[in-house]
Amino acid sequence: MACFQCLSAEPLGDDELKGRRGGAMARYVQNVNTFQVSMLDTPCSCATCPCCVLAACPLTHICVQCHLRHRVLNHIHPGSGWDHYICCQGYWPKCCCFAPGECGEKSCPRTCMCLEAWLCPGCAVSTTRFVVMEHYDLMPDPCDNRLIRMNNCIQLFACVCHVAAIFNRNLRALANIIDCLADVMFWTTTGCMTAQVDAEVAFRETQQAADVVYAPVAVDAYAPPDMPDVAPMAQKMDHGSFPPGD
């Protein structure tokens, strides 16, 4: 917990917004509206805890992500089914044989979504979150930033330990322990993030959401990179303008 508190809760800074991935995250910096439920609070609520646990379990993760993506897409485009689905919704750039919109999504959207959640669990979770954040001009709260940064730090530390263990066999046990901790942290973050998005969609579908007054979005100080044409979700919806990166 002490390490958690030491991590910065601030949004991404200028030095973190460099490069293609950093530029893609810049679109969220100016957002001022926050999620209804913090990621840190999702395990503590009876309404969000079941979703958090199911999403954090590798055995049920794929089913949960497929259901949530379908729910989010149909929340924004009612009755559209899987018509607006493409791999990672076009938020991740084309790489080698991976080309969003050209992976057979139109003919086998459910199969593609299952493969996305299985092969790229982090990207699958983040993508669904990006869709909701873009549509409602949302940004993470300070605890969200800390949790995501803590996950990134421990994943990096695990990688460093495994590299060090190549040269010093005595470090292999430590590397395995850190690897286990990194896996626990990753799946915990995944569960919290999934439950947060599910709670946000559930709230937006209630009449209570219509009574909430949201702050206007400031003019972007950063120009977001060009998104591929195959990403229908990267275009602005009815609300106008689109987390710190994980």
Side-chain angles (χ1 to χ4, degrees):
M1 182 58 70
C3 294
F4 178 78
Q5 292 297 332
C6 289
L7 294 172
S8 172
E10 297 298 321
L12 292 178
D14 292 344
D15 58 332
E16 298 174 290
L17 296 173
K18 297 177 181 179
R20 183 179 179 86
R21 178 169 172 76
M25 297 302 111
R27 69 184 68 216
Y28 306 111
V29 173
Q30 300 300 313
N31 289 355
V32 292
N33 302 318
T34 58
F35 283 92
Q36 296 300 312
V37 181
S38 167
M39 285 174 59
L40 204 60
D41 294 333
T42 54
C44 308
S45 170
C46 293
T48 55
C49 185
C51 179
C52 184
V53 172
L54 289 173
C57 176
L59 298 178
T60 55
H61 164 78
I62 296 177
C63 295
V64 173
Q65 297 309 320
C66 290
H67 170 75
L68 184 59
R69 181 70 63 81
H70 183 269
R71 182 181 184 185
V72 168
L73 293 177
N74 283 268
H75 169 69
I76 297 175
H77 300 282
S80 62
W82 290 96
D83 291 347
H84 290 84
Y85 170 77
I86 62 172
C87 287
C88 297
Q89 299 307 127
Y91 288 118
W92 308 96
K94 180 178 180 179
C95 180
C96 299
C97 60
F98 172 73
E102 302 175 11
C103 300
E105 297 98 321
K106 295 301 180 184
S107 57
C108 304
R110 295 175 180 83
T111 301
C112 289
M113 182 62 223
C114 287
L115 290 174
E116 177 187 329
W118 176 38
L119 299 175
C120 308
C123 293
V125 177
S126 296
T127 294
T128 305
R129 192 169 188 248
F130 288 166
V131 172
V132 175
M133 292 178 70
E134 176 177 7
H135 192 62
Y136 291 112
D137 298 317
L138 299 174
M139 67 174 292
D141 66 17
C143 285
D144 293 356
N145 294 338
R146 284 197 177 101
L147 190 58
I148 293 171
R149 282 179 171 130
M150 184 174 180
N151 175 69
N152 292 345
C153 286
I154 196 170
Q155 297 295 334
L156 179 60
F157 186 45
C159 181
V160 171
C161 287
H162 276 288
V163 173
I166 296 176
F167 303 98
N168 188 339
R169 300 180 65 178
N170 295 326
L171 295 176
R172 290 183 177 178
L174 175 62
N176 290 333
I177 293 174
I178 298 299
D179 204 28
C180 289
L181 292 176
D183 287 342
V184 170
M185 186 65 202
F186 171 78
W187 288 111
T188 300
T189 304
T190 295
C192 293
M193 189 176 291
T194 301
Q196 182 188 52
V197 174
D198 184 68
E200 187 68 26
V201 174
F203 172 78
R204 300 288 178 167
E205 291 176 344
T206 65
Q207 182 61 37
Q208 182 182 1
D211 300 329
V212 178
V213 178
Y214 297 97
V217 180
V219 177
D220 277 343
Y222 306 93
D226 293 335
M227 298 300 290
D229 294 336
V230 296
M233 302 309 304
Q235 300 174 356
K236 298 308 171 189
M237 311 295 180
D238 300 332
H239 284 259
S241 315
F242 176 91
D246 32 341

